[in-house]
Amino acid sequence: MNPSHEVRVSVLDTVPITQQSNASTALRNSVELARFADDLGYHRYWVPEHHGMSGVAGAAPAVVAAHVASVTRRVRVGAGGVMLLNHAPIVIAEQFGTLEAFHPGRIDLGLGRALGGPRAITNRLRSEHDRTATSFEDQVRELIALFGTDGPVAAVPE
């Protein structure tokens, strides 16, 4: 196969809680799946953000990504995606900037603009006002600026 046409295979793991199981088991299963994907040479291991969903243990993608990155060697790890409306851009930048400092070149950040769960739960993450006071596009710009060194604040100070 021509290397310029190589297909990279990745995993999107919602951290499912199967019948007769619980969140702890689901998280352990996800870690084992990540190790297996790493051993097979998969390109990326994504964990999405879901809140208050029955059968899903993936409410904290930065935490899951941190653990997965610590037990794998090659696979890129990240969130597919973090719901930007639920979090202040500085928090996301600090979390993923710190992960990148621990695991250079292996951390990815995917963003989403949905709430990632029922409004009653997402309102506890960030108020409706905070989610909508700044446009999604401006929140993305702010987040990107926080990863740079030219802005007033850096996600992870050098």
Side-chain angles (χ1 to χ4, degrees):
M1 177 178 248
N2 182 337
S4 65
H5 294 98
E6 180 180 325
V7 174
R8 294 179 175 173
V9 181
S10 300
V11 172
L12 175 63
D13 182 5
T14 59
V15 194
I17 302 172
T18 58
Q19 287 184 340
Q20 310 301 318
S21 185
N22 58 34
S24 293
T25 300
L27 290 162
R28 282 192 303 275
N29 289 343
S30 289
V31 167
E32 289 308 310
L33 178 59
R35 286 179 173 146
F36 185 61
D38 190 46
D39 289 344
L40 290 176
Y42 277 51
H43 178 66
R44 182 176 286 122
Y45 192 88
W46 290 100
V47 182
E49 177 180 349
H50 292 287
H51 299 281
M53 298 180 79
S54 179
V56 176
V63 176
V64 177
H67 188 67
V68 166
S70 73
V71 299
T72 56
R73 298 178 312 277
R74 294 179 302 272
V75 69
R76 295 185 66 84
V77 178
V82 169
M83 299 300 110
L84 180 55
L85 300 178
N86 290 339
H87 311 281
I90 185 70
V91 172
I92 297 170
E94 288 178 337
Q95 289 173 349
F96 283 84
T98 301
L99 281 171
E100 176 64 22
F102 274 123
H103 308 283
R106 292 187 51 220
I107 301 300
D108 292 330
L109 172 59
L111 298 174
R113 65 184 310 160
L115 295 180
R119 193 170 295 274
I121 293 174
T122 57
N123 282 343
R124 291 174 178 261
L125 293 168
R126 198 169 186 209
S127 73
E128 176 86 20
H129 175 267
D130 288 340
R131 285 195 307 263
T132 60
T134 305
S135 73
F136 180 78
E137 292 77 10
D138 285 343
Q139 290 179 56
V140 170
R141 283 186 198 83
E142 179 183 348
L143 177 61
I144 291 169
L146 290 165
F147 284 114
T149 56
D150 298 339
V153 177
V156 178
E158 292 288 323

